[in-house]
Amino acid sequence: MADVDLEELPGVGPATAEKLRDAGFESFQSLAVASPGELSNTADVGDSTASDIIQGAREQADIGGFETGSQVLERRERIGKLKWKIDEVDEMLGGGVETQSITEVYGEFGAGKSQVTHQLVVNVQLPPEQGGLGGSAMFIDSEDTFRPERIDDMVRGLPNEALQAAMDDREIEGSPDDDEAMEELVQDFLDKIHVAKAFNSNHQMLLAEKAQELANEHEESEWPIRLLCVDSLTAHFRAEYVGRGELAERQQKLNRHLHDLDKVGNLYNAAVVVTNQVASNPDSFFGDPTQPIGGNILGHKSTFRMYLRKSKGDKRIVRLVDAPNLADGEAVMRVQDEGLKPE
């Protein structure tokens, strides 16, 4: 996909092709799912030409038409499942976090949301037989939460059979009992996590676009991007757009951002995991008053919604709040020095 000739498309000459590539449109798939207004602004072409380009890209990429239910089922069989490696949680999720979907994890401060993202960027690098997707990860950090030291802890906290499989996968000589081999393994795990710090909401949106470029660059590599984490999705939007007067603009930007993230997941068969903050609902007289930020836009765009809640000590309650094909449920896990562990 990385070497496609965009000049094959109607209305695209060398100059327009260069502008499209500079804007991150390096594949027929990325153009096929763009809007005419988006292309018109980035490539300096008219709406009619932009529509022709998109239509041509859809034909080249063979997307955009109707499919039979059998074809949808066949396509869904290619969806990967990234395991938390906590049986109770993975069973509740129908096997793990799905690729080509957005999974939202929300909860109050200290509930373990960042611990989940750190664990998943480790687990995704494991071979499929160990619950991973055999790929690398991207991490958009908006709250200065990413800690390489935590990755070190979590890699070392993996079961011995998973560590040995990861070493074999990377052709690292030695065993989990070998200090030098473990140091090399930890470094290799860190090398396969691409981290970007978002300084404000506009920068965060730009990083989502850059994530498409990075995923495209790695698509044919030995370690394709299989996970994109955003921790947290809403922090900058919440801080910069205050009050009801700015709510509509905030929701519009958040919606566009979510579509960019979703595009990465769909185009590159990656799992997208976003964390979200909560607010207290003063109208709630019964049950838990905490509600996720982001309103209906985030609620509709998230395929899976998970709520983390503190319990005694290192215990956390993981609740599946919404999923298209799964029943609501609860599971218990522990957040320990070695990572997320079963109860």
Side-chain angles (χ1 to χ4, degrees), residues 155-343:
V155 172
R156 295 176 189 275
L158 290 169
N160 267 7
E161 63 270 20
L163 289 171
Q164 190 62 63
M167 287 180 174
D168 294 343
D169 225 21
R170 292 161 165 81
E171 298 181 351
I172 294 174
E173 293 183 9
S175 71
D177 299 324
D178 183 342
D179 288 343
E180 280 190 25
M182 279 302 299
E183 286 291 339
E184 187 179 348
L185 181 64
V186 168
Q187 188 60 52
D188 201 81
F189 265 86
L190 285 167
D191 287 343
K192 290 177 174 57
I193 305 169
H194 307 271
V195 185
K197 187 171 179 178
F199 295 101
N200 54 48
S201 62
N202 285 328
H203 186 218
Q204 185 172 322
M205 293 174 75
L206 176 64
L207 289 174
E209 295 173 18
K210 294 291 183 186
Q212 292 182 48
E213 296 177 24
L214 189 62
N216 187 63
E217 288 171 15
H218 284 76
E219 190 184 18
E220 302 300 330
S221 72
E222 192 179 349
W223 290 90
I225 301 293
R226 286 290 177 258
L227 173 66
L228 169 58
C229 288
V230 185
D231 188 18
S232 86
L233 177 75
T234 50
H236 286 315
F237 292 92
R238 187 182 191 183
E240 293 167 24
Y241 296 89
V242 182
R244 289 191 176 275
E246 297 191 19
L247 183 61
E249 185 181 356
R250 184 191 83 174
Q251 293 302 89
Q252 278 184 334
K253 288 184 71 172
L254 186 58
N255 189 32
R256 195 159 70 248
H257 184 43
L258 284 164
H259 275 81
D260 285 340
L261 295 173
D262 195 35
K263 204 183 289 186
V264 175
N266 281 307
L267 289 177
Y268 302 102
N269 195 23
V272 179
V273 176
V274 301
T275 67
N276 190 12
Q277 299 180 343
V278 296
S280 184
N281 179 12
D283 299 328
S284 177
F285 295 104
F286 303 100
D288 195 329
T290 54
Q291 286 189 333
I293 302 297
N296 290 332
I297 281 176
L298 181 50
H300 290 311
K301 196 61 185 166
S302 300
T303 313
F304 301 90
R305 301 194 93 179
M306 306 184 72
Y307 174 37
L308 289 188
R309 181 164 51 85
K310 294 179 184 177
S311 187
K312 291 181 180 179
D314 61 3
K315 280 189 182 180
R316 298 294 185 272
I317 309 300
V318 186
R319 182 191 302 166
L320 180 62
V321 176
D322 187 41
N325 59 331
L326 300 169
D328 296 353
E330 277 193 355
V332 181
M333 69 176 185
R334 293 182 182 273
V335 178
Q336 300 182 331
D337 290 344
E338 300 81 15
L340 306 184
K341 299 297 177 185
E343 185 186 6

Side-chain angles (χ1 to χ4, degrees), residues 65-77:
F66 285 94
E67 302 176 290
T68 65
S70 299
Q71 288 172 315
V72 173
L73 179 61
E74 185 181 340
R75 181 165 49 80
R76 280 194 57 79
E77 286 172 354

Side-chain angles (χ1 to χ4, degrees), residues 16-52:
T16 303
E18 188 68 26
K19 287 179 183 177
L20 289 171
R21 288 194 177 93
D22 288 344
F25 296 104
E26 297 188 350
S27 67
F28 293 135
Q29 284 92 332
S30 60
L31 284 168
V33 295
S35 68
E38 193 178 355
L39 283 199
S40 183
N41 291 331
T42 55
D44 194 24
V45 295
D47 286 344
S48 176
T49 303
S51 296
D52 289 343

Side-chain angles (χ1 to χ4, degrees), residues 91-141:
E91 186 178 339
M92 184 173 67
L93 281 171
V97 178
E98 281 194 3
T99 60
Q100 300 179 36
S101 297
I102 294 178
T103 299
E104 174 197 357
V105 179
Y106 69 90
E108 62 185 6
F109 173 78
K113 303 183 298 294
S114 296
Q115 302 299 317
V116 170
T117 55
H118 279 67
Q119 187 71 65
L120 290 178
V121 297
V122 169
N123 291 0
V124 73
Q125 299 185 43
L126 296 173
E129 59 270 19
Q130 291 297 330
L133 297 174
S136 55
M138 295 184 287
F139 195 109
I140 297 177
D141 183 2

